[in-house]
Amino acid sequence: MNTNFVIAIDGYSSCGKSTLAKALAKKLNFIYVDSGSMYRAVTLYFLRNNVDVNDPEQVEKALKNIHLNFDSRDYETHIMLNNEEVSDEIRQMPVSKNVSAVSAIRQVRREMVKQQQRMGKSKNIVMDGRDIGTAVFKNAQLKLFMTADPKIRAERRYKELKEKGQEITLHEVFDNIADRDYQDTTRAESPLVRADDAVILDNTNLTPEQQLNFSLEKVNALRNPKV
């Protein structure tokens, strides 16, 4: 019987899921797994190799040639695509514009879910994504569903991209977030929905420290229930 503790964090794009997940993992000494970076790495491979997402045979062939690994240093997750670190490249706009479409592909999701489930079988982990609490870890001890005002999300993402030196407008970021929300919530395969037992965390007006404290209270209540 597994005694590991799994925290599943789902929610809309640019809600700060990875920021919270990394903070929780560091505080609790858990393993952090960024599931979104896995889909982004697949998307990057598809773009580099001109894989037609509408051709199931091309998709299947490509997935057989994709090998993903994580290298965690200082609670920062560095993703390796076929032994090449692509942590920065997968965050650039070309990948952002295509990741929702790639993530919607049934073969892609099923392969990633299998890999994610293997990671959570014997370790205490925090994993964030779009379907962690509804598809990957349906029995996770704690499920959080993150949301925030779209304008706030766009402003946060825009600031992050500008600090990395990317040339982009706030309008482009807002449109990208709106498009990803639509694709994520309407796709046929594992759409973004809140699990019935997930705790809603609206961080529109919360600081990173406040949302961390909110989450830690939920974890502590589950790990140390009052008699």
Side-chain angles (χ1 to χ4, degrees):
M1 178 178 178
N2 290 340
T3 58
N4 54 303
F5 196 101
V6 174
I7 302 174
I9 303 177
D10 293 308
Y12 296 95
S13 63
S14 301
C15 273
K17 295 186 298 296
S18 62
T19 297
L20 175 60
K22 285 185 281 189
L24 277 171
K26 185 174 183 178
K27 194 74 174 180
L28 298 167
N29 198 29
F30 282 18
I31 301 298
Y32 167 57
V33 180
D34 178 3
S35 71
S37 69
M38 298 171 70
Y39 289 101
R40 283 177 172 270
V42 172
T43 302
L44 177 61
Y45 182 92
F46 281 15
L47 291 173
R48 285 179 173 180
N49 294 275
N50 299 310
V51 176
D52 183 354
V53 297
N54 297 309
D55 186 331
E57 290 187 7
Q58 283 194 38
V59 170
E60 288 282 3
K61 183 178 179 180
L63 287 173
K64 291 178 181 178
N65 293 317
I66 295 175
H67 303 285
L68 303 178
N69 288 299
F70 286 102
D71 179 17
S72 294
R73 302 189 297 273
D74 300 323
Y75 297 97
E76 291 290 333
T77 300
H78 302 263
I79 189 164
M80 312 294 289
L81 170 60
N82 296 335
N83 296 319
E84 174 195 357
E85 182 169 347
V86 293
S87 304
D88 290 332
E89 192 172 356
I90 62 171
R91 298 296 170 183
Q92 295 181 7
M93 193 52 66
V95 172
S96 294
K97 288 181 176 179
N98 290 278
V99 65
S100 288
V102 172
S103 299
I105 300 172
R106 179 173 298 177
Q107 300 102 306
V108 173
R109 295 209 72 81
R110 290 184 176 178
E111 177 59 29
M112 294 302 102
V113 167
K114 283 193 292 185
Q115 292 193 31
Q116 292 156 10
Q117 288 175 333
R118 282 198 295 269
M119 295 177 190
K121 282 185 176 179
S122 59
K123 298 177 180 179
N124 295 326
I125 66 170
V126 184
M127 186 179 293
D128 68 294
R130 300 291 191 281
D131 62 350
I132 309 306
T134 56
V136 184
F137 294 117
K138 295 181 179 180
N139 296 318
Q141 285 87 340
L142 176 62
K143 300 178 185 179
L144 296 172
F145 188 87
M146 295 182 66
T147 185
D149 182 277
K151 291 182 179 179
I152 297 298
R153 291 157 54 203
E155 289 171 359
R156 290 171 179 168
R157 181 64 173 155
Y158 172 74
K159 181 180 179 181
E160 177 185 337
L161 293 172
K162 293 297 287 185
E163 288 176 348
K164 292 182 178 180
Q166 294 193 40
E167 292 299 323
I168 193 169
T169 67
L170 178 58
H171 181 72
E172 288 177 304
V173 175
F174 185 86
D175 284 349
N176 173 251
I177 286 177
D179 181 61
R180 291 184 64 190
D181 285 352
Y182 176 77
Q183 293 190 57
D184 290 343
T185 56
T186 60
R187 66 180 178 227
E189 189 73 15
S190 297
L192 171 63
V193 294
R194 181 177 69 87
D196 292 337
D197 54 346
V199 177
I200 296 177
L201 200 176
D202 185 332
N203 68 4
T204 300
N205 299 307
L206 297 181
T207 65
E209 182 179 11
Q210 288 172 328
Q211 70 176 14
L212 174 60
N213 289 335
F214 173 90
S215 304
L216 285 172
E217 287 179 4
K218 301 300 180 184
V219 174
N220 291 332
L222 289 168
R223 299 182 83 185
N224 304 291
K226 295 180 180 180
V227 178

